[in-house]
């Protein structure tokens, strides 16, 4: 019986991420976090009207040289269970479909259907 429980724990039903889109989004989040300070400094130089135009142009080139995925605009909020990109409740990080399903079956504490 101990052998069965050990083999049952060794078998994995699915990986940590639902699909490759979620993996890609996680990589984008990590890269955006790594380059956040650098982007902030360069953008401050770019948008400063007091500095000479040559410095602003250099800052433009530096921003363009950074990796594309380091831009936080490319991050997409996804459902953690289905990886659905639209209709995601930010507070719970669940899509509206999964949220409703879990709320209907009393799997979410503190969430109740509206009744009137």
């Amino acid at each position: 019986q101990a052998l069965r429980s050990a083999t049952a724990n060794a078998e994995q039903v699915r990986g940590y991420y639902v699909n490759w889109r979620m993996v890609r989004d996680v990589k984008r989040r990590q890269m955006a976090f790594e380059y956040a300070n650098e982007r902030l400094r360069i953008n401050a130089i770019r948008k400063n009207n007091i500095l000479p135009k040559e410095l602003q142009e250099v800052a433009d080139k530096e921003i363009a040289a950074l990796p594309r995925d380091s831009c936080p605009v490319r991050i997409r909020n996804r459902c953690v269970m289905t990886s659905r990109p639209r209709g995601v409740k930010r507070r719970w990080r669940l899509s509206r479909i999964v949220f409703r399903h879990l709320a209907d079956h009393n799997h979410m504490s503190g969430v109740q259907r509206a009744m009137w």
Side-chain angles (χ1 to χ4, degrees):
Q1 192 176 18
L3 183 61
R4 279 187 194 159
S5 63
T7 55
N9 290 339
E11 293 176 18
Q12 192 172 8
V13 177
R14 73 171 193 212
Y16 187 69
Y17 299 113
V18 179
N19 58 13
W20 59 270
R21 290 179 188 91
M22 190 174 268
V23 172
R24 186 173 60 187
D25 191 63
V26 168
K27 287 180 182 176
R28 285 180 179 162
R29 286 175 189 273
Q30 290 171 347
M31 193 169 286
F33 179 75
E34 289 171 10
Y35 285 92
N37 292 333
E38 192 174 346
R39 290 187 77 85
L40 186 68
R41 288 190 200 101
I42 296 171
N43 276 327
I45 294 171
R46 282 178 61 210
K47 296 174 182 176
N48 192 340
N49 294 331
I50 300 168
L51 293 175
K53 293 287 180 190
E54 294 84 19
L55 274 177
Q56 291 176 351
E57 290 171 4
V58 169
D60 283 337
K61 289 178 183 174
E62 286 182 13
I63 278 284
L66 290 176
R68 255 191 201 165
D69 285 343
S70 68
C71 183
V73 173
R74 294 173 67 94
I75 294 173
R76 181 81 183 178
N77 288 331
R78 291 186 168 272
C79 174
V80 292
M81 294 184 80
T82 61
S83 185
R84 182 181 165 86
R86 296 185 178 186
V88 176
K89 302 273 186 189
R90 186 173 286 177
R91 181 175 171 189
W92 292 277
R93 294 176 61 201
L94 294 172
S95 70
R96 59 185 175 81
I97 300 162
V98 174
F99 178 83
R100 184 171 177 187
H101 176 77
L102 293 177
D104 286 347
H105 294 89
N106 294 327
H107 292 294
M108 298 183 74
S109 61
V111 177
Q112 188 177 12
R113 289 282 304 257
M115 291 181 228
W116 63 90

